[in-house]
Amino acid sequence: MTDATVKMDAPFPASLLDSAPAPTVGTAQPRIDGPRKVSGTARYAAEHFPEGLAHGVLLRAPIGCGRITGVDAEAALAMPGVLALIRDERLIRNGGDFAGAAAPVQGVDEVAYFGQPIGVVVADSPERARAAALSVKVTYEAAPGVFDMEAARGTALPPTDDIYGLFLIHTEQGDVDRTAHEAAALVDAVWRTPSQSHAAMEPHASVAVWQDGRLTLHASYQSPVVTRDQLATVMGLQPSEVRILSPFVGGGFGGKLGVMPEAVAAAIAARHLGRPVKVVMTRQQVFETTGRRPMTHQRVRLAADAAGRLTVLQHETITDQLAGEVFFEPAGLATHLLYAGENRLVDHKVVRTNKLLGVSMRAPGEAIGQLALECAMDELAEALDLDPIELRLRNEPERHPELGIPFSSRALVDCLRHGADRFGWASRNRVPGGLRDGEWLVGHGMAAAARGNLFGPSRARVRIDAGGRVMVETEMTDIGTGTYTVLAQIAADLLGVPLARVEVRLGDTDDPASAGSGGSWGAATSGSAVYAACAELRARLAAAAGLPADTLTFADGMVTASGFRRPIAELVGDGLSVEGSVQPGESNSRFNQTSYGAHFCEVRVHAVTGELRVARWNSVFAAGRILNRQTATSQAIGGVVFGIGGALTEELVHDPRSGKVVNRDLGEYHVPVHADIPPIDVHFLEERDPVANPLLAKGVGELGVCGSGAAVANAVYNATGVRVRDFPITLDKVLAGLPPVSAARRRA
Amino acid sequence: MIAFDYIRPGDAAEALQAAAERPGARFIAGGTNLLDLMKLGIERPRHLVDIGGLDLRTVSETPDGGLRIGALVSNAELAAHPLVRDRYPVLSQAILAGASGQLRNKATTGGNLLQRTRCYYFYDPASPCNKREPGSGCAALGGFNRIMAILGTSAHCIASHPSDMAVAMRALDARVETRLPEGTTGDRKLDTLYRLPGTTPHIEHTLAPGELITAVLLPPPVPGRHHYRKVRDRASYAFALVSVAAVVAVEDGRITQAALAFGGIGTMPWRDRAAEELLVGATPGQDLFERCADAVLARAQGHGGNDFKIPLLRRTLVACLTDLTEDAR
Ligand SMILES: Cc1cc2nc3c(=O)[nH]c(=O)nc-3n(C[C@H](O)[C@H](O)[C@H](O)COP(=O)(O)OP(=O)(O)OC[C@H]3O[C@@H](n4cnc5c(N)ncnc54)[C@H](O)[C@@H]3O)c2cc1C
């Protein structure tokens, strides 16, 4: 079926992208889907209204652990417009993730966490369904649950699965204990991060329509084929019997990778009632019933010799998850490769708690792992009386410090140097608590960033019609990241047509399958599949022209060689259609592929109240070729905002008695607002990664999250002299370390 | 949906009659609080009387030199009103420190006064809450109580009052003008609008069923400097952890006038006249301000997660008083 396959078995000496005479790739291009989004004509999942539509509302467990003993729906079913209460045992309790083919059938009687789905109430309007759901009486037998990870740390066990080898559970080399005792400088402390919510703008929503035994689901998912396969398994169907359409997704951040309860509920209810059913989660349900980033307790021990060379890197993470679930938060990921050092130990353990499912959230592991590691590096630099940049420079590895393999490209040092220049690091405050501006204590902080570059198989079809218009079709999604635009740019440049002549269709599982949006791999994987298809199309156009492909230039809708110039439309006959595919290969194990960056920031802490405000920001990144400067910059800024939120405001709070999510709306789950974010300067270094893929690009979507929170925390220390290792750093945690009010009010 | 009927009367008399004829009726103004609570099943009025069509949208000067603010004047309009900005800046500052631009456009003066607590457990029908379901218990005690009150609490309820506007109005000695179904009018100090939770946290104010707030009256402005200081987790769009509304005047080295009210710490917009009396006649200074904070916090009680509000309020109040008196000495 595939016409052209590129396998990542060897570095790429050159990329066809560099042969485009007037490339759009590498420039700043506004989103081609932007006009549809701002004019409201981009249709999201919940905006589908098929004939006969009914509305479902999830019924959820009102206890944290135990079993349902009875459900009395008599009154609810008698309410006007109410069609059914469905308690099918296939209704999933735990959503899915990118890992694992299926969310298993867990039944609807055992309660593993507060808010889990135990049924779906369907009515002829959403309001009636909601009112009926409120009227269902549920009786239960509560059992003692585990709600406090800290208290249950003693029960932590190794995770049961290494998620395709992507998350290393335990690695060890040398002797960390002995070496730590001989160190010239030592940091050994615990950092804690809370549960966090993806809090995407668009809530989860599914509209299920059955036709001739086939299920079509309009839904909001990042990787529709993954969701399709999981949904098919739950429903007892073949994947070919399910079609998922996710052309527009209002943010995901990992919370829409695997199938979630609303999709299964809609599918089952639609089947049961013989009419289309829509299930849209309320904001509260998104917080309580989808997924969260697990909380962590991270012990980091770093030791160095007198010359500032790391001798010990030890990172032990305890995290929490529901029983029986394989995903765990791999907080030690970047610790494997960020710095050199002989003696190393990275370990992960899991406490089983009765709290909402833990799933991937933007840069799983790395986002919060680098909070701990990069704060520990700051503390070590202080212990050594070294500039924190200098400490990192002294520990820059030449090869992967554990595996001994080369890096495909690594520009951390350049990022650190450029970032320092742009920020003016040389004139930073050097005395913690020593710089004042009126009532504000001013601090400066920095941290390094690293995010692994992952690659998965991906396919795309590219067609040129008889009129010379280009159509790109793949199941890949655009979750706000810019996929529509980037894929159009690649096709436009490689086929030499204006951007406006390229149309992109995304998010349909009936189109060639992609690796989906997640893990920062979306643009590089789906873009490489488009590249493979376009390379093959160029060969076919050359054949039609009767000329060798490498003598041709593709530009302005024309195919040109010396003495030859024809419009592309004249060479395609009735049209050409090619499917390209890409596969990971040996390069993915022979090289370590990682994107890098460095963050620098100024944080102001109010000397009276402890209010924390980020005042200034510079980040520098190196992530291979930047495909679209505008969308990449937006991703990087968004990542930094995520990092600032994780450092200062975001905490999904669980009630200590039931595990219940306490702050379950956007009024109380504090993501940063505009007023919290200063102008963020993002700079990308020129880089080509010759190994990663034919685009020579690496991932950027999650890079900004990595390390940015640590830069904030280090700046808070620099401002106040208070080390807060318990995130988020809210004002109550710095209050005790502030100067007395008489001194706090001193004007500058 | 939980069925309710909806009436949109044309004037106050009609509104009062509509409410009087329908037990369980509720007035709806901007709807920014009531509708959220209805969607969650926490408020279940059988009848909604929409007062949006009533002629209560004007701000006018009163003969005594004060201000009369119609109950439907939006928070945005009130904050921007030249007379408010000029004569009662603490009120303008307080309103602008609350919610977001969109909400302030919709929210009204009367609705803001009667907005209900943001206690997480009140907002979740699955949790016990004496305010929502009398006798069911208080989940905030022993729960996550970072935003709860430290003053005015009882063993039955520790929910804080969320309004910023009402805090400034308490400092300004505002009065609340009402009309009753019988056709009579009511006039009470804002101080007596609210009730402490005690054993009946579900009864939050002293209005009779069907009593309509028609206006808020501000007395003539008193001399002094105004300041509203709100401390919160985000730079915007977050309720107060603690807030201080202060109007203070200094003459010949002595404090001649002091009005202080507080948000985020009380089960109602908080005012402590004894603490103000300490200030009046005294010479401004750190010790005095610390004693004033002692007085305000004398009966403060933390519940674990909100213990920090005690030192935070102290620091904020002392700094605020220092600011207001500093170069006036
Ligand atoms: C996300 C969010 C953040 C917010 N942040 C803040 C903040 O930081 N600070 C702050 O102070 N507020 C904040 N608010 C609250 C906001 O100020 C209130 O919702 C608003 O003031 C309520 O006014 P309304 O007119 O919409 O009231 P409605 O919702 O219409 O009514 C509220 C109550 O008042 C009653 N009522 C209304 N008018 C009258 C009347 N004339 N007579 C008798 N009864 C009446 C209604 O019956 C109802 O019980 C926030 C709200 C939200 C949703």
Side-chain angles (χ1 to χ4, degrees):
Chain A
M1 202 160 96
T2 298
D3 306 292
T5 300
V6 174
K7 201 155 181 282
M8 308 304 145
D9 278 336
F12 298 89
S15 171
L16 290 175
L17 285 174
D18 291 309
S19 71
T24 64
V25 168
T27 63
Q29 293 291 334
R31 290 159 201 274
I32 60 173
D33 50 327
R36 291 183 67 186
K37 285 187 173 162
V38 297
S39 63
T41 53
R43 218 194 247 202
Y44 288 80
E47 297 170 325
H48 289 85
F49 301 90
E51 190 63 31
L53 183 65
H55 301 266
V57 164
L58 293 173
L59 182 68
R60 294 167 322 118
I63 51 167
C65 184
R67 52 178 289 113
I68 303 297
T69 52
V71 173
D72 175 3
E74 211 183 309
L77 290 172
M79 290 167 72
V82 178
L83 301 167
L85 163 64
I86 298 165
R87 298 191 68 240
D88 186 304
E89 70 154 19
R90 293 171 299 175
L91 283 171
I92 56 166
R93 168 182 88 197
N94 309 345
D97 204 324
F98 75 95
V105 170
Q106 300 124 344
V108 286
D109 289 330
E110 298 297 326
V111 177
Y113 67 91
F114 197 107
Q116 84 173 44
I118 55 170
V120 56
V121 180
V122 191
D124 59 5
S125 81
E127 293 82 5
R128 285 175 155 174
R130 183 177 59 206
L134 284 171
S135 307
V136 176
K137 291 185 189 64
V138 180
T139 52
Y140 47 81
E141 201 177 280
V146 181
F147 306 119
D148 182 347
M149 184 190 88
E150 281 294 325
R153 263 196 293 129
T155 65
L157 291 171
T160 53
D161 191 300
D162 66 1
I163 321 287
Y164 311 122
L166 291 174
F167 296 1
L168 304 178
I169 294 170
H170 180 92
T171 59
E172 201 177 333
Q173 71 184 45
D175 187 335
V176 290
D177 282 331
R178 216 191 52 214
T179 318
H181 287 124
E182 297 159 356
L186 184 74
V187 170
D188 188 353
V190 170
W191 282 263
R192 290 186 178 82
T193 64
S195 296
Q196 295 175 342
S197 179
H198 311 80
M201 186 126 50
E202 180 203 20
H204 296 59
S206 286
V207 178
V209 184
W210 290 85
Q211 204 169 16
D212 307 323
R214 193 171 189 234
L215 169 65
T216 299
L217 195 78
H218 301 276
S220 180
Y221 284 101
Q222 299 174 230
S223 187
V225 281
V226 167
T227 309
R228 176 198 65 189
D229 292 354
Q230 293 177 353
L231 181 58
T233 309
V234 174
M235 299 294 293
L237 298 167
Q238 293 302 313
S240 61
E241 294 173 293
V242 180
R243 180 184 188 189
I244 295 185
L245 293 159
S246 295
F248 295 102
V249 179
F253 310 117
K256 295 173 179 169
L257 272 172
V259 68
M260 284 291 165
E262 98 293 343
V264 181
I268 292 173
R271 177 92 217 226
H272 180 87
L273 293 167
R275 60 194 277 191
V277 172
K278 178 190 296 188
V279 179
V280 181
M281 286 203 184
T282 62
R283 184 60 66 188
Q284 290 81 4
Q285 290 174 347
V286 173
F287 278 106
E288 289 183 323
T289 310
T290 60
R292 66 181 166 107
R293 190 198 295 279
M295 63 195 331
T296 63
H297 167 112
Q298 303 178 50
R299 177 199 180 195
V300 177
R301 179 158 70 166
L302 298 178
D305 63 20
R309 276 187 301 263
L310 282 161
T311 53
V312 172
L313 287 100
Q314 183 173 356
H315 193 167
E316 293 165 288
T317 299
I318 295 174
T319 177
D320 73 332
Q321 176 62 296
L322 282 166
E325 286 290 334
V326 297
F327 175 83
F328 68 97
E329 186 71 29
L333 269 183
T335 310
H336 295 298
L337 58 87
L338 209 36
Y339 304 113
E342 278 300 299
N343 304 280
R344 318 174 71 93
L345 188 154
V346 177
D347 183 70
H348 300 89
K349 289 199 173 57
V350 180
V351 174
R352 300 296 166 177
T353 51
N354 293 97
K355 293 191 297 193
L356 170 67
L357 177 70
V359 298
S360 299
M361 178 165 147
R362 203 170 187 182
E366 286 151 321
I368 53 166
Q370 282 167 62
L371 268 183
L373 177 65
E374 289 299 290
C375 286
M377 285 293 281
D378 203 65
E379 296 197 25
L380 186 68
E382 188 180 33
L384 286 160
D385 198 18
L386 265 188
D387 183 313
I389 297 179
E390 181 58 28
L391 175 63
R392 287 164 174 90
L393 297 180
R394 289 188 193 179
N395 290 285
E396 173 69 8
E398 261 171 35
R399 293 177 154 249
H400 189 289
E402 292 176 11
L403 304 173
I405 57 174
F407 295 106
S408 63
S409 56
R410 175 170 167 127
L412 175 59
V413 168
D414 285 346
C415 290
L416 290 166
R417 294 210 164 113
H418 274 83
D421 283 350
R422 293 176 83 86
F423 183 78
W425 183 250
S427 56
R428 74 189 185 282
N429 172 44
R430 285 164 202 271
V431 184
L435 184 61
R436 287 286 288 268
D437 181 5
E439 294 195 336
W440 295 91
L441 301 164
V442 181
H444 300 125
M446 59 80 53
R451 169 64 183 155
N453 184 60
L454 305 172
F455 202 88
S458 218
R459 297 190 288 133
R461 187 189 306 117
V462 180
R463 297 192 279 126
I464 309 174
D465 73 11
R469 274 180 300 271
V470 175
M471 170 71 98
V472 178
E473 293 157 330
T474 167
E475 165 270 346
M476 176 62 190
T477 50
D478 187 329
I479 61 172
T481 43
T483 316
Y484 278 108
T485 314
V486 168
L487 297 189
Q489 286 175 266
I490 292 168
D493 284 8
L494 293 181
L495 299 175
V497 299
L499 204 49
R501 301 273 284 173
V502 184
E503 203 178 307
V504 180
R505 204 175 73 189
L506 299 180
D508 182 347
T509 54
D510 282 358
D511 278 332
S514 76
S517 295
S520 297
W521 61 60
T525 53
S526 62
S528 294
V530 171
Y531 180 101
C534 290
E536 174 65 17
L537 280 168
R538 286 164 68 118
R540 295 199 185 173
L541 290 165
L547 291 165
D550 56 8
T551 64
L552 298 180
T553 304
F554 298 81
D556 303 325
M558 307 293 287
V559 180
T560 317
S562 70
F564 179 90
R565 186 170 166 82
R566 296 267 298 276
I568 199 167
E570 288 181 17
L571 295 171
V572 299
D574 295 338
L576 288 176
S577 174
V578 160
E579 189 178 302
S581 91
V582 285
Q583 297 278 348
E586 283 180 29
S587 296
N588 298 91
S589 49
R590 283 187 25 228
F591 295 87
N592 178 272
Q593 300 181 20
T594 300
S595 300
Y596 295 91
H599 306 283
F600 294 81
C601 68
E602 177 176 305
V603 173
R604 296 179 162 232
V605 181
H606 197 273
V608 173
T609 61
E611 289 157 291
L612 300 117
R613 304 286 181 254
V614 180
R616 197 151 67 82
W617 198 283
N618 296 84
S619 293
V620 174
F621 300 110
R625 187 199 302 273
I626 298 307
L627 299 169
N628 180 335
R629 236 150 249 286
Q630 186 166 328
T631 52
T633 301
S634 293
Q635 283 296 299
I637 291 173
V640 171
V641 173
F642 232 79
I644 293 173
L648 296 182
T649 56
E650 287 186 48
E651 174 174 11
L652 192 71
V653 178
H654 300 277
D655 188 276
R657 300 156 300 187
S658 64
K660 176 196 142 48
V661 173
V662 175
N663 51 344
R664 43 183 212 142
D665 57 43
L666 291 169
E668 297 299 342
Y669 181 81
H670 286 167
V671 299
V673 295
H674 286 286
D676 292 310
I677 303 297
I680 291 173
D681 171 63
V682 165
H683 180 72
F684 290 105
L685 297 182
E686 267 313 310
E687 184 181 69
R688 300 283 183 270
D689 191 306
V691 170
N693 50 59
L695 311 175
L696 318 183
K698 295 186 287 189
V700 295
E702 299 166 315
L703 185 55
V705 193
C706 302
S708 44
V712 174
N714 294 336
V716 171
Y717 170 71
N718 184 252
T720 60
V722 181
R723 288 272 184 205
V724 179
R725 302 192 187 94
D726 185 12
F727 291 95
I729 307 174
T730 46
L731 60 86
D732 45 304
K733 296 176 190 169
V734 297
L735 207 52
L738 297 177
V741 186
S742 50
R745 280 201 57 278
R746 178 164 44 85
R747 304 209 173 195
Chain B
M1 114 176 99
I2 301 171
F4 60 87
D5 57 32
Y6 172 85
I7 308 111
R8 193 175 161 92
D11 60 32
E14 269 181 51
L16 287 162
Q17 191 188 346
E21 284 167 357
R22 295 173 176 79
R26 287 295 285 277
F27 297 121
I28 180 165
T32 59
N33 190 217
L34 187 56
L35 291 179
D36 278 0
L37 291 166
M38 286 173 68
K39 287 181 201 167
L40 291 165
I42 294 162
E43 295 263 25
R44 298 170 172 232
R46 305 260 317 280
H47 314 274
L48 274 191
V49 179
D50 185 342
I51 56 175
L54 273 51
D55 183 18
L56 302 171
R57 293 189 186 275
T58 44
V59 179
S60 51
E61 277 189 89
T62 53
D64 67 351
L67 216 55
R68 185 177 185 282
I69 302 160
L72 290 175
V73 173
S74 77
N75 289 179
E77 283 169 76
L78 186 57
H81 198 282
L83 289 178
V84 176
R85 291 177 50 171
D86 190 35
R87 299 180 190 170
Y88 309 94
V90 68
L91 177 57
S92 185
Q93 292 167 21
I95 294 171
L96 292 176
S100 65
Q102 296 93 324
L103 283 159
R104 293 193 299 266
N105 284 339
K106 228 24 218 163
T108 66
T109 305
N112 192 317
L113 289 179
L114 294 186
Q115 65 173 300
R116 306 196 68 187
T117 181
R118 310 305 288 199
C119 171
Y120 317 106
Y121 299 96
F122 171 72
Y123 261 77
D124 180 8
S127 298
C129 170
N130 290 322
K131 199 183 255 314
R132 181 166 27 74
E133 226 180 291
S136 62
C138 172
L141 285 164
F144 180 70
N145 50 42
R146 187 164 190 274
I147 63 169
M148 308 300 166
I150 52 173
L151 283 165
T153 59
S154 74
H156 304 271
C157 183
I158 59 171
S160 52
H161 194 279
S163 176
D164 290 301
M165 183 195 83
V167 172
M169 285 182 172
R170 266 210 91 175
L172 293 171
D173 285 315
R175 304 183 73 85
V176 179
E177 178 196 279
T178 64
R179 279 181 67 178
L180 287 121
E182 308 81 69
T184 51
T185 57
D187 175 14
R188 52 163 84 61
K189 290 180 174 171
L190 185 55
D191 296 7
T192 63
L193 176 68
Y194 298 108
R195 296 174 43 133
L196 290 174
T199 56
T200 54
H202 58 290
I203 306 173
E204 294 171 352
H205 54 72
T206 55
L207 296 179
E211 186 170 356
L212 176 73
I213 298 178
T214 47
V216 170
L217 299 164
L218 298 183
V222 290
R225 289 183 176 180
H226 290 220
H227 189 48
Y228 189 74
R229 177 70 165 102
K230 176 173 176 177
V231 182
R232 50 188 149 174
D233 281 324
R234 290 191 283 210
S236 161
Y237 200 50
F239 290 91
L241 292 169
V242 311
S243 72
V244 177
V247 180
V248 180
V250 179
E251 255 174 64
D252 301 331
R254 289 191 186 277
I255 297 175
T256 52
Q257 142 78 24
L260 302 173
F262 306 93
I265 59 167
T267 50
M268 61 164 79
W270 204 254
R271 186 159 180 187
D272 191 323
R273 290 179 195 270
E276 292 167 9
E277 279 160 22
L278 271 175
L279 297 178
V280 176
T283 312
Q286 171 96 12
D287 283 353
L288 176 69
F289 302 152
E290 293 281 354
R291 274 189 285 122
C292 175
D294 287 344
V296 174
L297 292 165
R299 297 165 72 169
Q301 192 196 346
H303 300 88
N306 64 357
D307 291 350
F308 72 95
K309 287 188 175 185
I310 296 173
L312 181 60
L313 182 86
R314 169 181 298 280
R315 294 175 68 91
T316 309
L317 175 59
V318 171
C320 195
L321 289 172
T322 313
D323 274 347
L324 287 173
T325 55
E326 203 157 48
D327 21 86
R329 258 171 256 176

